[in-house]
Amino acid sequence: MLNTPAAPAPITVPPAARHAEGVSNDEFRAAMSRLAAGVVLVTAVEAPLDPDDPGAPAGEDVGMTATAFLSVSLDPPLVLVSLRTGSRMDELLEEQPLWAVSVLSESQRHIAGRFSMKGRVSDRLLFADIPYRRGEYTGAPLVGGALATLECRTEQRVEAGDHTLVIGRVMTAAVPSAEGGPLTYFRGRYRQLD
């Protein structure tokens, strides 16, 4: 019987961050980046730190760019926004049931970029030179020039992986601007429809 050396074992590279289901974070991200999404600004007003002290600073406006926003139901009118669990907006909407959405137009890319920055400056500075009016129902900022605006009251919060799905009843809806197309997000960039 001849003693032949065993073939060397093939070198294998483990896949990057695979989940039990088999898809990696990078694969999932790449696939979902091919889904075009509308871009909205979600806003709410943070309550004053000490509501009993008339000298305390007023509540601060808070805003966040979102692309995971959709219509859920017509009767009753419900929408859904997906928020990263533990984000400032997630924590605020856990306490504050009233919030608003401005559907951004293609000319409002700068607003989307400003409110999606990591390590960003205070929300007060972010709103400083953006035209807006306060919603009658929520008191939250509604961006001037938006294609549509909605004011919502949270109906339900659902924990889903590393995000919280906030379902809101639409209390007011308006179409203040019929000019221009929507701002979209596709393959990791803000885009315009051609």
Side-chain angles (χ1 to χ4, degrees), residues 21-193:
E21 293 79 16
V23 66
S24 73
N25 292 349
D26 291 340
E27 290 166 333
F28 181 66
R29 217 177 264 120
M32 295 311 297
S33 75
R34 278 20 180 216
L35 177 64
V39 182
V40 302
L41 183 68
V42 179
T43 56
V45 180
E46 191 172 44
L49 291 176
D50 187 357
D52 297 328
D53 179 3
E60 186 171 54
D61 295 326
V62 177
M64 181 200 90
T65 302
T67 56
F69 175 77
L70 58 102
S71 169
V72 173
S73 167
L74 183 60
D75 186 15
L78 298 175
V79 293
L80 176 148
V81 65
S82 179
L83 307 173
R84 188 173 33 82
T85 301
S87 67
R88 182 165 184 208
M89 188 62 74
D90 177 43
E91 291 175 355
L92 175 57
L93 293 191
E94 191 169 16
E95 302 294 323
Q96 164 63 282
L98 303 178
W99 45 283
V101 173
S102 298
V103 178
L104 299 180
S105 73
E106 60 194 2
S107 66
Q108 295 177 315
R109 179 184 302 210
H110 65 288
I111 295 173
R114 180 183 294 190
F115 283 90
S116 65
M117 290 187 300
K118 290 185 172 145
R120 61 189 202 193
V121 297
S122 81
D123 286 281
R124 183 166 306 164
L125 294 175
L126 294 176
F127 281 103
D129 61 347
I130 294 175
Y132 67 86
R133 66 177 178 80
R134 295 221 170 260
E136 294 176 25
Y137 184 81
T138 62
L142 300 170
V143 176
L147 296 179
T149 58
L150 306 162
E151 292 184 273
C152 307
R153 184 186 69 226
T154 299
E155 292 277 305
Q156 187 177 359
R157 291 173 55 87
V158 179
E159 299 301 319
D162 58 3
H163 276 64
T164 303
L165 308 178
V166 180
I167 299 170
R169 181 181 293 250
V170 178
M171 307 308 290
T172 70
V175 182
S177 176
E179 297 301 313
L183 181 61
T184 59
Y185 193 73
F186 179 69
R187 295 183 74 178
R189 293 180 44 212
Y190 296 116
R191 303 185 188 252
Q192 298 173 213
L193 293 180

